Amino acid sequence: MATIEPQRRNIDSPAAIKKYSRSVRLWHWLNLIIICGSLLTVALNSTIFDVKSNTTYVQTQLQQSGATVTAQQAKNVAHGMEDKIWDLHIYFGYALAAIFLFRLIAEFFQPKDQHFFGRLKTAYQDYIKKSKKSNSALHDLTVKSLYFIFYALLAIMVLTGLSMAFDQELGISKATSHSIKSFHGFCMYLILAFIAVHIIGVFLAERKQNKGIVSDMINGG
């Protein structure tokens, strides 16, 4: 489990605490809120607003009120309720796309020592330089590689989400859109896995020598 713990200090200069710019910190916490909101809409449509269970519920409630409702009419109402939540999911998707673009632009204005790809390159070079025998170098490279995978997944989620939202404008067929939706959902599970690993890693780091990582992401380090 130690390999997933974020490191608070640089390998080559252990006395220096890693810095995080205001733009990265803003993106981090907004990203958290938007992803949680997006996942909440998925959870709601899978439970409370599930069409199959709500169809029976709507039909029963209306019939008890004296209305005559067919199963198809009740299903249409249930679908309408589900669509309202999916509309909210789409808005979260637009927000995710906006802040992802913000993160990409912000990368160009980061201090040189805070560039993500620069840090990833440095971690790889340290790992090679230390003859692949340094646990701390392997640790740092592993953590940064996980972050790179997370960024790649976010890019995929944004692109697939936008392609579904504008499938008609882009001329995407229903069959292709369905395949994109399946891949979009699969990537969501991978992001959930990363979030779980990230939270566990931060929790473990806070209990050991890297205590203070959460506060660094709030105040900049």
Side-chain angles (χ1 to χ4, degrees), residues 103-116:
R103 179 66 182 90
L104 291 178
I105 295 173
E107 181 68 11
F108 291 100
F109 298 95
Q110 298 295 320
K112 188 175 181 179
D113 63 334
Q114 294 185 34
H115 284 184
F116 173 76

Side-chain angles (χ1 to χ4, degrees), residues 42-212:
V42 175
L44 287 173
N45 269 350
S46 299
T47 53
I48 299 176
F49 293 97
D50 176 63
V51 172
K52 186 176 181 180
S53 58
N54 272 347
T55 296
T56 303
Y57 176 77
V58 169
Q59 187 175 22
T60 301
Q61 291 299 311
L62 289 176
Q63 286 177 345
Q64 289 178 352
S65 300
T68 302
V69 180
T70 66
Q72 184 58 49
Q73 289 172 328
K75 187 176 182 179
N76 291 339
V77 173
H79 264 299
M81 295 164 61
E82 183 188 51
D83 288 343
K84 290 292 184 181
I85 303 299
W86 281 130
D87 287 343
L88 186 59
H89 181 81
I90 291 173
Y91 293 141
F92 276 119
Y94 291 152
L96 184 66
I99 66 165
F100 185 73
L101 179 61
F102 168 78
R103 179 66 182 90
L104 291 178
I105 295 173
E107 181 68 11
F108 291 100
F109 298 95
Q110 298 295 320
K112 188 175 181 179
D113 63 334
Q114 294 185 34
H115 284 184
F116 173 76
F117 285 102
R119 286 180 168 180
L120 180 61
K121 181 180 178 181
T122 299
Y124 177 74
Q125 290 174 339
D126 285 341
Y127 175 64
I128 298 299
K129 189 189 306 179
K130 299 179 188 302
S131 302
K132 303 180 182 180
K133 295 179 181 179
S134 170
N135 289 332
S136 59
L138 175 60
H139 179 182
D140 196 40
L141 179 60
T142 301
V143 171
K144 286 183 172 58
S145 296
L146 287 173
Y147 289 153
F148 175 75
I149 292 172
F150 175 65
Y151 282 124
L153 287 172
L154 280 182
I156 292 171
M157 291 295 286
V158 167
L159 292 174
T160 54
L162 289 176
S163 67
M164 287 187 293
F166 297 98
D167 55 354
Q168 294 183 354
E169 291 81 356
L170 295 172
I172 298 174
S173 66
K174 289 185 178 181
T176 302
S177 184
H178 181 74
S179 297
I180 293 173
K181 182 179 180 180
S182 298
F183 186 58
H184 184 81
F186 173 72
C187 289
M188 179 195 72
Y189 288 113
L190 295 180
I191 286 181
L192 282 173
F194 170 84
I195 292 173
V197 169
H198 181 59
I199 292 174
I200 293 171
V202 170
F203 176 77
L204 293 174
E206 287 283 354
R207 292 170 59 87
K208 298 179 181 178
Q209 70 271 19
N210 287 301
K211 184 176 182 180

